[in-house]
Amino acid sequence: MRYLLITNDFYPNNIGGMTHYYTGIAEAFEPDSMVVLTVAADKSTEKQLSCRVFRSTVSGSQSGTFFGKRRIRAEAYSIVEKEKIDVVLCGNVRPYGDIAYDIYKTYGLPYHIFFHGNDLMRIMARMDRYILKRIVYSRMLNAARGFIANSRYVMDLIPPQYKNDKSLIVLNPGVAKDFENLSPEPPFRQPETVRLLTVGRLVKRKGISQVIGALSLLKNEYPGLIYDVVGGGDAAPYQALAKSLEIEDRVFFHGFKSYEEVRHFFKYSDIFIMVSHASDKEKEVEGFGIVFLEANAYGKPVIGSATGGIEDAVLDGQTGLLVKNPFNEQEIAEKISWLCNNKADAAAMGLSGHKRVNEQFTYGVIAEKLRKLTTL
């Protein structure tokens, strides 16, 4: 079985979760069984990968244009013929769903579409607003052999009329090789200090404001409670909030950090926290939350919200705790307080998460599951 994966999100084009997801899957396959077609990249930042990658002459910003899609379609056809491809994996329904459909119509090859949450929400919104989009997307969804969702939540978002006679696969993301088989770093090693950590873009739906609010409720009970936030974006509104709550000396914004630097923050944190909420206006949701697994990989307990795909990433009471209402600062404060007051149980959650990551969330395990479930 020979696969062609088509995606914009592939190293080094992007540094987000989808890039790690597709790069991890491709590298876990044998080089002669999967090839990747992705957009052009800066050669100076490219590293040697174990998988075979075909770089388009089209950039990511051009891939959704009329001429960009024509070029990528021609490149995909050439790969299908020369590499004797059996199955197409569509990593981005926009802009590559119709290219996968065209390959199916031209060569009769089955294709599977990946969904991560925000991508699906946005095409469904477009289908509701535009008749032409509804026709185009319905056609490609109906003709797909199967759908691959990164969480149970995302799979449930797919309208049932498109699931008939389909292969439906929930394929959670895994951790990068750098996070596999790490020695656990026990939390609470500094008796007077507890470090909370969030890693993610500074956007409203990540729940950073709510964590700051919860921290203000605990400032007298836990004078050593500190909150580190790592991620790009405008920190000024959050800094102003912390100042208004008189905890500006407890909240630290570190900005965007390299992959290696982020690992340092995981290692020296005590509790990872990200209480994301869905944003209907921006059509955004936490489709999974790989950062929870990365924290578990270091043996850290985590706090998440029972929204989106986070319930796949965090096992409530086993690898961490889930907040039912991500806007309820009192509930968030209670979860933080419980972990601080039950340090042995919290450390056991971190160890349980560490074991789960290495048994279930390596890309070797994930690639094997994909291979079995997409076999003709």
Side-chain angles (χ1 to χ4, degrees), residues 111-130:
Y111 63 94
H112 299 256
I113 302 175
F114 285 90
F115 288 115
H116 296 264
N118 298 338
D119 51 356
L120 179 58
M121 292 172 68
R122 287 168 184 159
I123 72 160
M124 298 310 299
R126 284 170 167 251
M127 290 172 72
D128 287 341
R129 292 178 62 189
Y130 306 110

Side-chain angles (χ1 to χ4, degrees), residues 12-60:
N13 303 334
N14 199 313
I15 58 171
M18 288 172 65
T19 293
H20 289 300
Y21 184 71
Y22 292 130
T23 305
I25 287 173
E27 288 205 288
F29 272 78
E30 297 81 5
D32 62 345
S33 64
M34 178 177 286
V35 296
V36 180
L37 173 59
T38 190
V39 289
D42 181 353
K43 295 293 184 182
S44 66
T45 64
E46 194 166 3
K47 68 177 181 180
Q48 187 65 38
L49 299 174
S50 62
C51 53
R52 297 178 60 208
V53 182
F54 291 88
R55 299 266 173 207
S56 175
T57 56
V58 174
S59 69

Side-chain angles (χ1 to χ4, degrees), residues 6-303:
I6 309 176
T7 178
N8 276 4
D9 299 289
F10 204 81
Y11 185 89
N13 303 334
N14 199 313
I15 58 171
M18 288 172 65
T19 293
H20 289 300
Y21 184 71
Y22 292 130
T23 305
I25 287 173
E27 288 205 288
F29 272 78
E30 297 81 5
D32 62 345
S33 64
M34 178 177 286
V35 296
V36 180
L37 173 59
T38 190
V39 289
D42 181 353
K43 295 293 184 182
S44 66
T45 64
E46 194 166 3
K47 68 177 181 180
Q48 187 65 38
L49 299 174
S50 62
C51 53
R52 297 178 60 208
V53 182
F54 291 88
R55 299 266 173 207
S56 175
T57 56
V58 174
S59 69
S61 61
Q62 299 168 327
S63 63
T65 66
F66 175 77
F67 290 107
K69 289 178 71 171
R70 284 191 63 181
R71 179 61 185 169
I72 293 174
R73 181 182 287 105
E75 292 166 338
Y77 278 22
S78 176
I79 293 170
V80 165
E81 293 174 0
K82 292 179 180 179
E83 300 293 328
K84 296 181 171 54
I85 298 299
D86 300 301
V87 177
V88 174
L89 302 175
C90 177
N92 307 96
V93 67
R94 295 174 56 212
Y96 301 133
D98 54 350
I99 293 178
Y101 175 81
D102 290 343
I103 292 173
Y104 161 72
K105 295 297 290 185
T106 303
Y107 298 97
L109 298 186
Y111 63 94
H112 299 256
I113 302 175
F114 285 90
F115 288 115
H116 296 264
N118 298 338
D119 51 356
L120 179 58
M121 292 172 68
R122 287 168 184 159
I123 72 160
M124 298 310 299
R126 284 170 167 251
M127 290 172 72
D128 287 341
R129 292 178 62 189
Y130 306 110
I131 294 176
L132 182 58
K133 293 294 183 183
R134 188 182 312 148
I135 294 171
V136 172
Y137 286 131
S138 292
R139 182 182 64 182
M140 70 176 69
L141 292 172
N142 280 320
R145 172 65 61 85
F147 302 129
I148 304 166
N150 70 338
S151 68
R152 292 170 295 168
Y153 171 81
V154 172
M155 183 61 77
D156 289 342
L157 288 178
I158 302 173
Q161 65 265 30
Y162 298 118
K163 294 182 180 180
N164 297 328
D165 302 319
K166 296 282 194 299
S167 168
L168 305 175
I169 310 167
V170 174
L171 198 68
N172 298 138
V175 295
K177 290 181 179 179
D178 290 341
F179 287 90
E180 293 182 17
N181 300 310
L182 296 172
S183 297
E185 299 285 346
F188 313 116
R189 287 175 295 179
Q190 299 180 22
E192 303 302 320
T193 303
V194 175
R195 302 199 79 99
L196 303 176
L197 172 67
T198 293
V199 175
R201 291 179 296 121
L202 304 187
V203 293
K204 184 177 179 180
R205 71 176 179 87
K206 296 292 184 179
I208 296 167
S209 295
Q210 285 69 41
V211 176
I212 293 173
L215 185 61
S216 73
L217 300 177
L218 300 170
K219 63 183 179 182
N220 294 326
E221 185 177 359
Y222 301 101
L225 192 59
I226 293 171
Y227 184 30
D228 292 307
V229 183
V230 177
D234 183 9
Y238 304 104
Q239 291 170 325
L241 174 61
K243 185 175 182 179
S244 71
L245 296 173
E246 300 181 347
I247 55 170
E248 67 269 26
D249 59 337
R250 307 277 197 93
V251 183
F252 300 94
F253 292 87
H254 301 276
F256 173 80
K257 294 295 180 182
S258 70
Y259 197 55
E260 291 72 21
E261 290 171 316
V262 170
R263 292 177 60 200
H264 172 87
F265 280 95
F266 279 122
K267 182 175 181 178
Y268 292 102
S269 67
D270 295 300
I271 300 169
F272 182 84
I273 184 167
M274 190 171 75
V275 288
S276 300
H277 54 84
S279 172
D280 289 334
K281 182 179 180 181
E282 286 82 19
K283 299 301 177 185
E284 290 190 344
V285 69
E286 205 70 52
F288 180 72
I290 189 63
V291 284
F292 295 105
L293 297 185
E294 291 175 339
N296 279 160
Y298 277 96
K300 310 299 181 177
V302 300
I303 298 175

